[in-house]
Each structure stands twice: as structure tokens, then as C-alpha cells.
Amino acid sequence: MAQVYAARRDRLRERCTAGGSATALVSRPANVRYLAGAAPEGAVLLLGRGEDLLVCADSPAQPGPQSERGRPDEALRVQLLPAIGGDPAVAAADVATAQGAESLAVEEHHLTVARHRAIRSVAPRLRLADLGGAVEQLRVVKDEEEISCLRIGAEIADQALSELLESILVGRTERHLALELERRLVDHGADGPAFETSVATGPNAGRRGHRPTDRRVEEGDFLSVCLGATYRGYRCEIGRTFVIGTSPTDWQIELYDLVFAAQRAGREALMPGVAYRDVDRAARQVLDSAGYANSLPSLTGHGVGLEIDEDPQLAPAAMGKLDACVPVTVEPGVHLPGRGGVRIDDTLVVRPEADGGPELLTITTKELLAL
Amino acid sequence: MAQVYAARRDRLRERCTAGGSATALVSRPANVRYLAGAAPEGAVLLLGRGEDLLVCADSPAQPGPQSERGRPDEALRVQLLPAIGGDPAVAAADVATAQGAESLAVEEHHLTVARHRAIRSVAPRLRLADLGGAVEQLRVVKDEEEISCLRIGAEIADQALSELLESILVGRTERHLALELERRLVDHGADGPAFETSVATGPNAGRRGHRPTDRRVEEGDFLSVCLGATYRGYRCEIGRTFVIGTSPTDWQIELYDLVFAAQRAGREALMPGVAYRDVDRAARQVLDSAGYANSLPSLTGHGVGLEIDEDPQLAPAAMGKLDACVPVTVEPGVHLPGRGGVRIDDTLVVRPEADGGPELLTITTKELLAL
């Protein structure tokens, strides 16, 4: 693994050198973890002219499960801050100056104005440049090791969901179902939930990002569930909608079939070289043409990895094209105020047609189940 | 309640005017909630020359339990962003310019460099100043309504903990115990856990911020637990250490008594007018003089409220003095690598001696229980 991290840092170094700043300071936690193998709280990575350096706050150790926290690349020098309450970013800028750096590229989309100013005051001669989303861009295409973590996470989420479906649901609250799902994720080996588990019943069903309430499941409800597991830091996502009771009504079947068709269109559009916006359009136009243009969320899907919401965005105004080995969600939905709705959400990996097309990681059935 | 929020905004306005910037942009979520009653994701508050304005991203509604999300002050104008993916802070700066503002105080410790630059480019004539921690300072002293939310949260945490102690513990993992505690918090009416519940057994016991692992509780272990409930947005904290089995060993009793004495010294030092560092010193010197100077965390306690870690810090280098109606934790601990340790943590409200001295919110016994 050490070689993987070193290779990632080398790729970033090339970009930085090409951008005119040989030295970079990475502060966004997921980016630090990607390049260093772990991101202890507050740690920053200095990609230096000399040797690379992970600077950590000298805070009390918080050694959770290794799988969850990651383990720092052993080839990397680790420096602990001597001063309590000091800022590792400031200490790293100090080291950069000592190494003779003239400019330092920082993550302006992550560093606060106050920290930026603190760096400038400790290293006034250092020219501060913007690293922009360079690390986020490197993270878009995953290697097979990363994909295998996502695959295991998806299996765990599938398992937790299938167990829930075997239990009695009527009368239980959204909150309890969400907590039970999270417990099952951990039971099956997840580091933890990949994001706050969403359970939405009745009029809440189909709402993206719905936070569980005390509403209880009732006969006749739509029930939509969205959950994900974190496994070795990698986060996946699955969403399904069910009907409670024996026979879904006509409007429920119709709406479900429509969202299913939109989601399938989105999945089928996932090919290397396809524009992000075209995937979005494939799913969106199915719902649009059925008259739901105003009920649609702003995106159809997004990348996943060390964070649950990564590049790319599959949205109308997104720029760029899919590559092979990019994991994304496809998650269209329709929510009708007062009535509820449907969301169907999978995590897939973009693969060339020669390899069989998109690889579905979340394999729970998408038939409309009546529970 | 509307009057409460308006009064808070007026107090901030006075400070801003005194600081030379009549217009302020509040972006840190807990600060937005404090002044506006709610902090929808990404929302910012413009404290203007004209009417105050809550600017929200036009994202899909995420209406969780009202208790959890808060409800915006009805006296406040709410503006939804028309453009998907737009930044409410930039939109607010635009409004400030339209209102004729010449300068705008922003939260430089929260805004990123990139957002600050975006504001500057949309409003190039606006002089950007630093609001600093002005809202955080207003938040330090709580009103009785806020304290009553903390009191209810503490009752919930006490209840969840007492139920756990009645169950069988040996053989269960740290992770499972933590998940069960979180479920019980919600059962008893919490919005959710106030922070990641910590359960630490055997050699992990006594470690501040320990993340639960798969280690199982064994006979003879120290078991330390730290949890808290969020109630109407307010977060409290309780930590206790127990011994598993019938008879604690001598070193366990000794260490427990020592940490208990330190924690009591810290609690007894909580009086209006006492310096933060003197509370820290009261607890710390008990442990120091027993030879544990090097095993101690960097602080003895901290404020709680809308965030779990607020001002003040009770730490050696902290500047300032306690006021009445400031809720703080007192949480000294000792961790011995390889052996485990003890932490005892309460949430209390500083009260004048005439009112009976510090009010203990977390009332679970601090006797050394053998479970």
C-alpha cells in the first residue's frame, strides 16, 4: 500500500510543478487520507521540496478501529505539533519555508480566511497559491483496491437492508428503523454508516435526504430507505422504496414504474466518454415528459469514495465526461407534497462495454415489493 | 421566542456598529441558529442596514423533527436562492451592496478563502472586515430557556446510562454498547446523540474521545462511557467509569479515587469570577501531584450549548473568567497505556454561591460501581 500512496503523491507533485508551485499543503481530511493513508484529526500533508510530511496536532490519541481511521503510510515522515492548540497548517508552512520553498499551493476551498492569514503571517515571504480541486480530481477515478472497498460496503448495506425487510415494520417509527439499520451495518462489519440513514414513510417517502421523524409506518404507506456503509473509509449508497401492505394502489404502481424507468435510463447511460449531463438528462427526461419537471431534485447522481458526495455531479449544468472506474450513484426520485413518493438509488462503477458495462454494486432487487 | 432572536441580533448589531461595520454576514451554522432560530443547510444570516435576512440554498427540503432542526424566527425574512448550487453568502453580499452597505463583517474563522474571494468578486466595493468570534462570545452565557434544554438533555443521558447499567455487559463489544446507548437516547426523546458516543473497555478505558472498537467487555475491566443528548439543538455530556466484576483491584480503586478528587476540585472551583485556568488548575494539580502530569489531556473542561465544544476552554493557557449561567463540562481523566484508566465528566451550570453554587445537570452517581 505504501507504494500506492507514494504514487498518488507523485501524481499530485507533477500537477503542482506544472502549475508553478512545487510545494503544496493539503488540508481537506479526505484528501489527506487519500495521499497519506490516514487523516488524524486536524492533520495536514506537506508535499515538499524535501521529504513529504504529515503534520498532526498533538491531541489525545483517538485510536478507533484501524479500518475506520486508516493507518499513515509508513514511508511518510510524521511530525507532531509541540504546542497544544497550534495549527498543523501553520507549522507545515514553517517547514516549507525552512525547506527553501518560494511558493505554497493551499486548498483555498477548504482553508478558512483566518488560517490562511495565520500562514501568511508565519511565512510572509512564501507566495500562497491555490491548489484548487487538484486532489479531488485525482480521486475521481478509483483503483481496483478502492473499488473493492466500495463493493464490500455495498454488500454490507444490501445485507442490512434485506434483514430489515424480513422484520415487522408497521407501527415502528422512522427513527427506530434508521437506528436499526445503522446497528446492522456495524454488525456486518461496516466502520459505520456512510451518512445519516434516511427512512421516510407515507407523505415523507421519496424525499431526498429526509431525516427520520417519529412518524410510524402505516398500512398503505410508501416506505423509502436510503443507507450506506463505510468500509475502510469508502462510502457507498443504496436507496429503495417499498409499499406497506398487500396491494399497492394504482398511483403507487404508476409512480414507481416511472421512477424505475428513469433510474434504469440513468444506469444504462453510464459508459466511459458519456457527458455527466447526458446521464442526468437520460434519467431526467423520463420524469420530465411525465409532467414531473418541477418535483425533481437538482441532480440525478454523484461520485462516491472517501466522501459520500464527490465529483462528478450528474446534473444539468455539470461539465465533463465519465471515465472507466468512476463509481457513481444513480438516484432519481419524485416526491409529491402531502402524498409521498419514490426514490431508487444504486451505486455503480463505470466500466467499458467490453467489460460488460456498468458494474452494479448494490444488488438488492428493484421490483416493487409489498411488505 | 421571536423576541429572543431579535434581541440577540440587536446585541450583535451593537457590537458590529461599535466595531465599525454596521452590516454582518453570519455563516457558521451554530451561530446562524442562535440568531435566526434555525440553520437550514448552507443558510447564512445577513444582519443588515435594512431588514435582517436569512438566505437559504434552494436545496431539496430536509424537514426532520422540528425539535432537531429548529424553526426560523417568524419575524425574519427568508430568501431562497434561485440558482442551484449558488452560495448563499455571495447572494447575501449582493443584498448588502443593494442596501447601500459600505462594509461587511464576515466570519473569517468559518468562511473559506474561496468563498471570501467569491464575495469580493460579486461585491468589489464592499469593504470586508472580520466579525471574529463575536457571536460565539454572545453564546457563552445562556438564558434559562437554553439551560432548560440542556437540563432535559442531561436527564435523557442519565436515563440512557442507567438503563445500560442494568443490562448484562460482559461479552458485548464497545461498538454495540455505544449503539445501544444512542438508541436509548433517541427512545427518551433526544434529537440524537450530542457527539459520537464513546465506550472504552480494559486498556482503552479513560481515553478521551476513544472511538468504540470490537473489543468485548471482560471481567476485571475498567469500562468508561461518555455520551450526551441533543435536545432542541442543545448538547450536553456525561462520562462515567465503572469496574466490571465484583471487586475492583487496589490500583483501580486508587486511580478512581484520585480522578474523583480531581473532578470534585474542578467542580467546586466553578464560581462566577473565577479564571478559566484556575478551574483547570484546581483539577489538574490533584493529578499532577500524584505523578500523572504527563498522562493528562490538554483541557479539564469546556463550554457546551448549540455545539458540544464551545467557549470557554478550561485549560492552562485560557484567558478569561467564568460568568453565571455558563454551562461547562468538568472532565479530568488519567489513561495509563496498556492498563486503562478513569474519566469522570459532568455538565454543570455556573451559579453564584447565593443561588447554591454550581448546578449539576448530570446526576448519575459518581461512586465507583462494580457491575
Side-chain angles (χ1 to χ4, degrees), chain B:
Chain B
M1 278 307 285
Q3 287 164 334
V4 171
Y5 300 119
R8 290 174 182 171
R9 292 196 298 273
D10 284 343
R11 251 176 297 155
L12 181 62
R13 210 183 319 269
E14 280 166 33
R15 290 212 181 193
C16 289
T17 310
S21 225
T23 310
L25 177 67
V26 179
S27 57
R28 186 171 173 173
N31 291 346
V32 173
R33 178 159 185 171
Y34 182 73
L35 298 168
E41 205 177 321
V44 302
L45 177 71
L46 179 67
L47 210 71
R49 286 157 62 98
E51 121 197 86
D52 296 341
L53 189 64
L54 184 68
V55 186
C56 302
D58 189 8
S59 66
Q62 302 197 355
Q66 187 243 314
S67 153
E68 185 177 349
R69 310 285 288 174
R71 183 180 285 173
D73 176 5
E74 284 165 16
L76 198 57
R77 194 152 69 89
V78 175
Q79 179 176 312
L80 287 183
L81 269 197
I84 287 165
D87 182 345
V90 171
D94 212 20
V95 173
T97 311
Q99 287 181 351
E102 286 166 5
S103 81
L104 180 68
V106 301
E107 298 192 292
E108 293 191 348
H109 59 300
H110 178 261
L111 270 193
T112 64
V113 177
R115 295 179 80 189
H116 196 260
R117 181 161 297 157
I119 291 173
R120 220 189 282 148
S121 81
V122 77
R125 282 188 222 155
L126 208 54
R127 191 171 55 79
L128 296 184
D130 186 9
L131 186 58
V135 187
E136 284 85 350
Q137 281 164 39
L138 290 179
R139 284 168 47 199
V140 169
V141 174
K142 270 73 175 175
D143 64 31
E144 288 303 324
E145 182 77 24
E146 295 181 280
I147 291 173
S148 120
C149 291
L150 287 167
R151 198 180 290 120
I152 295 171
E155 278 170 21
I156 292 171
D158 275 324
Q159 247 173 322
L161 184 56
S162 77
E163 288 173 3
L164 187 82
L165 301 187
E166 286 164 15
S167 64
I168 290 172
L169 299 171
V170 171
R172 298 171 70 193
T173 68
E174 294 175 355
R175 287 197 200 216
H176 271 116
L177 294 175
L179 284 164
E180 181 172 333
L181 282 167
E182 296 191 350
R183 187 176 60 76
R184 290 185 186 277
L185 291 173
V186 172
D187 278 349
H188 290 295
D191 304 339
F195 53 91
E196 206 177 330
T197 297
S198 176
V199 175
T201 63
N204 300 329
R207 214 176 229 158
R208 186 165 196 268
H210 172 75
R211 292 195 171 196
T213 70
D214 290 326
R215 189 182 183 286
R216 290 176 195 278
V217 177
E218 294 175 13
E219 289 280 342
D221 274 357
F222 263 139
L223 167 70
S224 55
V225 173
C226 188
L227 74 158
T230 307
Y231 185 77
R232 300 203 175 166
Y234 283 82
R235 294 161 195 267
C236 65
E237 184 174 321
I238 178 173
R240 292 291 184 268
T241 300
F242 310 99
V243 162
I244 304 298
T246 43
S247 51
T249 60
D250 287 350
W251 79 270
Q252 287 177 323
I253 295 173
E254 233 166 78
L255 189 61
Y256 192 91
D257 287 348
L258 182 73
V259 173
F260 178 80
Q263 204 253 0
R264 187 178 50 201
R267 280 186 281 122
E268 289 175 352
L270 293 178
M271 284 292 163
V274 173
Y276 302 148
R277 61 170 63 164
D278 289 342
V279 179
D280 178 74
R281 191 189 303 137
R284 190 175 294 271
Q285 70 188 6
V286 175
L287 303 174
D288 260 8
S289 60
Y292 291 110
N294 293 326
S295 321
L296 303 186
S298 54
L299 53 73
T300 296
H302 53 81
V304 295
L306 288 169
E307 292 174 292
I308 191 57
D309 197 349
E310 298 195 348
D311 293 333
Q313 299 285 304
L314 306 180
M319 301 291 285
K321 290 179 179 178
L322 288 173
D323 275 312
C325 300
V326 175
V328 293
T329 67
V330 178
E331 47 174 312
V334 171
H335 176 256
L336 308 175
R339 299 181 74 188
V342 175
R343 282 187 70 236
I344 304 174
D345 183 352
D346 280 311
T347 302
L348 306 99
V349 182
V350 178
R351 303 280 192 188
E353 199 146 17
D355 294 352
E359 177 188 354
L360 182 67
L361 301 187
T362 44
I363 60 171
T364 298
T365 182
K366 288 185 282 281
E367 277 175 88
L368 177 53
L369 298 183
L371 304 173

Side-chain angles (χ1 to χ4, degrees), chain A residues 232-314:
Chain A
R232 299 204 177 165
Y234 283 82
R235 293 161 196 266
C236 66
E237 184 175 320
I238 178 173
R240 293 290 184 269
T241 300
F242 309 99
V243 163
I244 304 298
T246 44
S247 51
T249 59
D250 287 350
W251 78 271
Q252 287 177 324
I253 295 174
E254 232 166 79
L255 189 61
Y256 192 90
D257 286 349
L258 182 73
V259 174
F260 178 80
Q263 205 254 359
R264 187 179 53 201
R267 281 187 280 121
E268 289 176 353
L270 293 177
M271 284 292 163
V274 173
Y276 302 148
R277 60 171 63 165
D278 289 341
V279 179
D280 177 74
R281 190 189 305 137
R284 191 175 294 271
Q285 69 189 7
V286 175
L287 303 174
D288 261 9
S289 59
Y292 291 111
N294 293 326
S295 321
L296 304 186
S298 54
L299 53 73
T300 297
H302 53 81
V304 296
L306 288 169
E307 292 174 291
I308 191 58
D309 196 349
E310 297 195 347
D311 293 333
Q313 300 283 304
L314 306 180

Side-chain angles (χ1 to χ4, degrees), chain A:
Chain A
M1 278 307 285
Q3 287 165 332
V4 171
Y5 300 119
R8 291 174 183 172
R9 293 196 297 274
D10 284 342
R11 250 176 299 155
L12 181 62
R13 209 183 320 269
E14 280 166 32
R15 290 213 181 193
C16 289
T17 310
S21 224
T23 310
L25 177 68
V26 179
S27 57
R28 186 172 174 172
N31 291 345
V32 173
R33 178 159 184 172
Y34 182 74
L35 298 168
E41 205 177 321
V44 302
L45 177 71
L46 179 68
L47 210 71
R49 286 159 60 100
E51 114 197 271
D52 296 340
L53 188 66
L54 184 68
V55 186
C56 302
D58 189 9
S59 66
Q62 301 197 354
Q66 188 243 314
S67 153
E68 186 177 346
R69 309 285 288 172
R71 182 180 286 172
D73 176 5
E74 284 165 16
L76 198 58
R77 193 152 69 87
V78 175
Q79 179 177 312
L80 287 183
L81 270 197
I84 287 166
D87 182 345
V90 172
D94 213 20
V95 173
T97 311
Q99 287 182 353
E102 288 166 4
S103 81
L104 179 68
V106 301
E107 299 192 292
E108 293 192 347
H109 59 301
H110 179 261
L111 271 194
T112 64
V113 176
R115 295 178 80 189
H116 196 260
R117 181 161 298 156
I119 291 173
R120 221 190 282 149
S121 82
V122 77
R125 281 187 223 156
L126 209 53
R127 190 171 55 79
L128 296 184
D130 186 10
L131 187 56
V135 187
E136 284 85 350
Q137 281 164 39
L138 290 179
R139 284 167 48 199
V140 169
V141 173
K142 269 73 176 175
D143 65 31
E144 288 302 323
E145 184 76 24
E146 296 180 280
I147 291 173
S148 120
C149 291
L150 286 168
R151 198 180 290 121
I152 295 171
E155 278 170 20
I156 292 171
D158 276 324
Q159 247 173 323
L161 184 56
S162 77
E163 288 172 4
L164 186 81
L165 300 187
E166 286 164 16
S167 64
I168 291 172
L169 300 172
V170 172
R172 298 171 70 194
T173 69
E174 292 175 357
R175 287 197 199 215
H176 272 115
L177 294 175
L179 284 164
E180 182 173 331
L181 282 166
E182 295 190 352
R183 186 177 59 77
R184 290 185 187 278
L185 290 173
V186 173
D187 278 349
H188 289 296
D191 304 340
F195 54 91
E196 206 178 329
T197 297
S198 176
V199 174
T201 62
N204 300 328
R207 214 175 229 159
R208 186 166 195 267
H210 172 76
R211 293 195 170 197
T213 70
D214 290 327
R215 189 182 183 286
R216 290 176 194 278
V217 177
E218 295 175 13
E219 289 281 341
D221 275 358
F222 263 139
L223 167 70
S224 56
V225 172
C226 188
L227 73 159
T230 307
Y231 184 77
R232 299 204 177 165
Y234 283 82
R235 293 161 196 266
C236 66
E237 184 175 320
I238 178 173
R240 293 290 184 269
T241 300
F242 309 99
V243 163
I244 304 298
T246 44
S247 51
T249 59
D250 287 350
W251 78 271
Q252 287 177 324
I253 295 174
E254 232 166 79
L255 189 61
Y256 192 90
D257 286 349
L258 182 73
V259 174
F260 178 80
Q263 205 254 359
R264 187 179 53 201
R267 281 187 280 121
E268 289 176 353
L270 293 177
M271 284 292 163
V274 173
Y276 302 148
R277 60 171 63 165
D278 289 341
V279 179
D280 177 74
R281 190 189 305 137
R284 191 175 294 271
Q285 69 189 7
V286 175
L287 303 174
D288 261 9
S289 59
Y292 291 111
N294 293 326
S295 321
L296 304 186
S298 54
L299 53 73
T300 297
H302 53 81
V304 296
L306 288 169
E307 292 174 291
I308 191 58
D309 196 349
E310 297 195 347
D311 293 333
Q313 300 283 304
L314 306 180
M319 301 290 287
K321 290 179 179 178
L322 289 173
D323 275 313
C325 300
V326 175
V328 293
T329 66
V330 177
E331 47 173 310
V334 171
H335 175 258
L336 307 176
R339 299 181 74 188
V342 175
R343 282 187 71 238
I344 304 174
D345 183 351
D346 280 312
T347 302
L348 306 99
V349 182
V350 178
R351 303 282 193 188
E353 200 146 14
D355 293 353
E359 178 188 353
L360 182 67
L361 300 187
T362 44
I363 60 171
T364 298
T365 183
K366 288 184 282 282
E367 276 175 89
L368 176 53
L369 297 183
L371 304 174

